[in-house]
Amino acid sequence: RERRRERREREREMLSVSVNSTRKVMKVAAAGASGGRLVTTRATRGEPNRSLSRSVVEANAEANNNANVNRRSLMLELGTAAAATLAFAYGGEAGGGVALADEVGDDYFPVSSLPKGAKAQQTAEVQGIVKEAVKKCVTEDYTTVLQLAFLDAITFDKSAKTGGANGSVRNSAELKALGLSDKYAKAIDQIGKAKAEAEKSAPFPLTLSWADTLVLAAYYKTQRHFIDSVLERAKDVQSANIILQGYANDFPVPPLGRVDADGSDASSLSLKTTDLVQRGLDNGLLAGEISALAVGFPTGTLEEVEAEIKDMGGNFKFYINSFQKSRTELTQTNYQIDLGRAFFKLSTLGAKFEPERYFRPVPKPNLKKKL
């Protein structure tokens, strides 16, 4: 009884954030939801310290790139107590705190009944943990990781309802059957290490599926490339900051909860570019989506693959020309947006989802009612 009373007191303390703190949180949230203010330091004025300024630019770019999920990202950054206040201020629910299985009772929301706010926060926490693990462990080029994710998902056979984004590409037999073992062995190893690192560093029990780890690794590596492509072309760091803050392209984060396959899926997969295109069409991808995903084809360089797709005529020629022109522009708007949306769709092909695997019971809010 005494332990229960102490636990409830800790929950009340967690949820009781002062009015001044709440105002500060909401001020930051309002800035984030509207695109935010530029993050500035002395290094961005006058003669810049380029290394410091670059980190500031990158922070701005990533925050703006994830504008559609700013609320949940902000929850993660501000910490549990502030996150609880922010969730209530937005009309959601607090999700703070990890409850052990034997603590679940009337004072907790079970996983099966978690409020939307708690689900969003916990999903963001897992994404943030994986993102840091990918930064630490995955050094292969974004194209290599993206191609692995493409190969994993494109095995989906819509008519037979087999294959898809289920992590089967990690199995040595699958890559060996495709003759790609040597090409992707290093990336497979690095993604496996990122998975282990994320699970080890998580402050709560976490078991990632290989399929989710692969998709998020491809996502974060590609997102990093998108940001770097603007940074490299801007005339200076301050200009890059302004461009990325105002014009960074939307790149939706793929959903989580994929279930891993036990075996291999690639027995009937042809690596000819035209066959991969047809397989994509058969699985519901559109001409523009397939054209945007050319960088994920393992059949040659981007230019070589685009030339083969372009030769197929029709809408393919239009989209390839459009994307090639877009990549010559500073912000690469059309190309980046279409690739981001196409990858989101690709990452769901044939996938079986169990998102609750990443959810944890959370304490119910116990705020005092005003009289």
Side-chain angles (χ1 to χ4, degrees), residues 9-282:
E9 286 299 320
R10 288 196 299 271
E11 291 172 13
R12 290 191 184 97
E13 290 176 5
M14 180 188 71
L15 295 173
S16 299
V17 180
S18 68
V19 173
N20 288 336
S21 296
T22 302
R23 287 174 178 169
K24 290 179 181 178
V25 171
M26 292 307 300
K27 185 179 293 185
V28 175
S34 63
R37 295 176 290 119
L38 293 181
V39 177
T40 59
T41 67
R42 291 181 183 275
T44 61
R45 303 186 185 98
E47 290 298 322
N49 176 322
R50 292 196 65 85
S51 61
L52 178 60
S53 298
R54 184 180 177 87
S55 66
V56 170
V57 172
E58 292 171 354
N60 277 321
E62 293 191 11
N64 195 58
N65 184 272
N66 291 321
N68 290 336
V69 289
N70 249 349
R71 277 169 38 187
R72 66 187 181 189
S73 298
L74 187 60
M75 288 178 183
L76 181 60
E77 295 295 329
L78 293 176
T80 304
T85 302
L86 182 60
F88 282 115
Y90 271 118
E93 297 84 357
V98 179
L100 300 178
D102 59 357
E103 291 181 319
V104 177
D106 292 341
D107 295 335
Y108 285 81
F109 287 111
V111 167
S112 60
S113 303
L114 282 182
K116 290 182 180 179
K119 290 180 180 180
Q121 181 184 342
Q122 292 185 12
T123 299
E125 289 172 350
V126 174
Q127 290 167 343
I129 291 168
V130 175
K131 180 178 182 179
E132 292 306 311
V134 169
K135 281 183 181 179
K136 181 177 179 180
C137 301
V138 183
T139 59
E140 284 288 271
D141 186 71
Y142 86 99
T143 56
T144 301
V145 184
L146 191 59
Q147 286 167 12
L148 266 178
F150 177 86
L151 282 169
D152 193 46
I154 205 64
T155 58
F156 180 50
D157 186 324
K158 191 174 182 179
S159 59
K161 293 182 171 53
T162 59
N166 55 24
S168 66
V169 74
R170 75 192 185 281
N171 297 313
S172 58
E174 182 161 325
L175 288 177
K176 185 176 180 180
L178 295 171
L180 297 173
S181 296
D182 293 339
K183 183 175 182 179
Y184 296 111
K186 188 175 180 180
I188 291 283
D189 180 64
Q190 290 180 355
I191 294 168
K193 288 178 179 177
K195 178 179 180 296
E197 173 65 23
E199 293 170 345
K200 179 182 176 182
S201 64
F204 46 82
L206 176 63
T207 302
L208 291 163
S209 70
W210 218 95
D212 279 340
T213 310
L214 171 59
V215 165
L216 286 183
Y219 171 84
Y220 289 121
K221 292 291 290 186
T222 305
Q223 181 191 57
R224 179 74 267 162
H225 168 73
F226 282 176
I227 294 171
D228 286 344
S229 66
V230 176
L231 289 173
E232 291 167 0
R233 298 184 186 196
K235 65 179 181 180
D236 54 49
V237 175
Q238 192 168 7
S239 297
N241 195 341
I242 294 171
I243 292 167
L244 288 170
Q245 187 71 8
Y247 302 101
N249 301 313
D250 177 42
F251 190 10
V253 186
L256 292 181
R258 292 167 190 78
V259 177
D260 282 339
D262 295 326
S264 301
D265 291 330
S267 59
S268 62
L269 188 66
S270 167
L271 292 183
K272 288 180 59 179
T273 296
T274 53
D275 290 343
L276 290 174
V277 168
Q278 187 58 53
R279 195 173 187 105
L281 292 171
D282 292 342

Side-chain angles (χ1 to χ4, degrees), residues 274-342:
T274 53
D275 290 343
L276 290 174
V277 168
Q278 187 58 53
R279 195 173 187 105
L281 292 171
D282 292 342
N283 288 332
L285 295 177
L286 305 177
E289 293 166 338
I290 294 171
S291 300
L293 288 166
V295 67
F297 282 50
T299 49
T301 65
L302 174 59
E303 291 74 18
E304 290 169 344
V305 173
E306 285 185 329
E308 290 185 73
I309 296 176
K310 188 175 179 179
D311 287 343
M312 297 178 72
N315 289 336
F316 290 113
K317 183 176 181 180
F318 167 79
Y319 283 112
I320 294 298
N321 286 337
S322 174
F323 294 147
Q324 289 176 339
K325 180 177 182 298
S326 178
R327 289 200 300 271
T328 66
E329 299 166 353
L330 178 59
T331 57
Q332 301 185 1
T333 301
N334 289 343
Y335 176 65
Q336 290 191 7
I337 288 178
D338 282 12
L339 175 54
R341 292 174 179 172

